[in-house]
Amino acid sequence: MIIPDGSWVKCKKCSQTLYTERLEDNLQVCWNCGYHMPMPLKQRIKLLTDEGSFQEEYSNLESVDRLHFVDSKSYTVRLTENKAKSAMNEAVCCGHATLNQIPFFIGVMNFDFMGASMGSVVGEKITRMIESATEREETAVLVTASGGARMQEGILSLMQMAKTSGALARHREKRLGYIVIMVNPTYGGVSASFATLGDVILAEPGSMIGFAGPRVVQETTKSVLPEGFQTAEFLLAHGLIDRVVERKNLRKELSFLLDIFKKKI
């Protein structure tokens, strides 16, 4: 018997061999050890919204190589390659949807596009999403996963931290609610701005969250890091996030929070 390619995957945590179709039914979570694997963008949106309710917005925005940046290859080439690899124009998908008939705006970052790095278009799409939520007096939800700022855009990337934070400040004034769901990994300028500004911050189990990675922190501080450093569970214990929620419970948790913010209490 010939087993088709892609029928099985190995869990990165426990090395258990997992049947791909069953893994999809189990929301990309290993049934042997509970490890939360990366979830495809479309499946993530389906999990958090009513069927057929999601309408993507700002999809026409695309990055350009303003700085003519070149490392081992040009930024223009990298953009072209990542568009083909991820089937997306950028590292975040934003739009409007409902969950249990409650309307809200949602953005989902896609690590398959340049490690979901934060460039000018990522910042612009998230800012527009937040501003639209403010204008329509609805809650904004953002699923974060990122390696940080996009080095190929230099200071233009770092400016997105201030731009998104400003939009969120105006949104908060109306008490409309901003919910962040951190998934593995969430680092750099993303964790230092819009990922940690949520009115409620949730995270999936085992997600790695921080500014610089553990190795960099250890080498810089010349200290031994505590066990579990930068995991979602560690950050929950130290007050940075509000709850660690298993993926199977995220839909119910989000629905509950949307209902609370709808009442503006």
Side-chain angles (χ1 to χ4, degrees):
M1 178 180 177
I2 299 176
I3 300 176
D5 291 340
S7 296
W8 303 89
V9 297
K10 182 177 288 188
C11 176
K12 292 183 179 180
K13 184 176 180 180
C14 70
S15 297
Q16 174 76 25
T17 301
L18 308 171
Y19 185 43
T20 304
E21 287 189 9
R22 184 182 169 192
L23 187 60
E24 184 174 346
D25 292 338
N26 205 47
L27 303 177
Q28 306 296 332
V29 177
C30 175
W31 51 82
N32 184 58
C33 69
Y35 176 67
H36 284 52
M37 300 181 181
M39 192 175 204
L41 182 133
K42 289 183 178 179
Q43 191 177 6
R44 175 77 67 179
I45 292 174
K46 182 179 179 181
L47 172 67
L48 299 176
T49 62
D50 291 332
E51 185 175 358
S53 69
F54 178 75
Q55 297 294 320
E56 185 177 0
E57 300 185 8
Y58 333 118
S59 60
N60 61 317
L61 299 180
E62 299 184 34
S63 293
V64 293
D65 188 6
R66 294 291 185 194
L67 304 181
H68 306 293
F69 191 97
V70 180
D71 44 78
S72 60
K73 60 182 71 173
S74 73
Y75 182 33
T76 300
V77 170
R78 289 195 183 278
L79 288 171
T80 301
E81 290 176 348
N82 277 271
K83 286 176 185 177
K85 181 177 104 174
S86 65
M88 286 181 63
N89 285 339
E90 253 303 336
V92 66
C93 177
C94 299
H96 188 265
T98 65
L99 179 57
N100 289 343
Q101 304 308 311
I102 300 175
F104 69 105
F105 282 83
I106 182 170
V108 180
M109 302 187 76
N110 184 3
F111 204 80
D112 287 341
F113 193 107
M114 296 190 71
S117 52
M118 177 184 62
S120 299
V121 171
V122 169
E124 180 66 18
K125 291 177 77 170
I126 291 173
T127 298
R128 290 192 188 188
M129 180 194 76
I130 296 163
E131 289 177 341
S132 295
T134 306
E135 182 179 350
R136 293 175 56 169
E137 297 192 342
E138 295 177 2
T139 298
V141 176
L142 188 59
V143 181
T144 65
S146 179
R150 189 171 299 176
M151 70 173 187
Q152 290 86 354
E153 294 191 21
I155 190 64
L156 301 176
S157 173
L158 297 179
M159 287 169 60
Q160 308 312 308
M161 298 172 66
K163 184 166 70 176
T164 53
S165 298
L168 283 169
R170 294 186 290 273
H171 186 73
R172 177 169 289 178
E173 288 176 358
K174 291 194 174 184
R175 300 181 65 189
L176 299 168
Y178 171 51
I179 302 166
V180 176
I181 302 172
M182 292 185 175
V183 302
N184 186 44
T186 297
Y187 274 97
V190 169
S191 69
S193 56
F194 54 81
T196 49
L197 292 176
D199 296 304
V200 179
I201 302 176
L202 311 177
E204 290 188 336
S207 295
M208 296 299 295
I209 301 161
F211 183 69
R215 180 181 58 80
V216 175
V217 173
Q218 183 163 318
E219 290 179 355
T220 302
T221 62
K222 308 298 182 184
S223 60
V224 178
L225 302 179
E227 184 177 354
F229 182 70
Q230 292 190 341
T231 62
E233 292 76 10
F234 182 89
L235 297 179
L236 174 64
H238 290 79
L240 181 66
I241 64 177
D242 297 300
R243 289 196 67 181
V244 175
V245 183
E246 291 185 42
R247 192 172 287 165
K248 64 182 180 181
N249 297 324
L250 272 177
R251 183 182 179 91
K252 181 179 179 181
E253 187 81 9
L254 180 58
S255 177
F256 171 73
L257 292 170
L258 287 173
D259 188 54
I260 288 177
F261 283 117
K262 182 181 177 183
K263 297 171 183 176
K264 295 187 182 180
I265 59 174

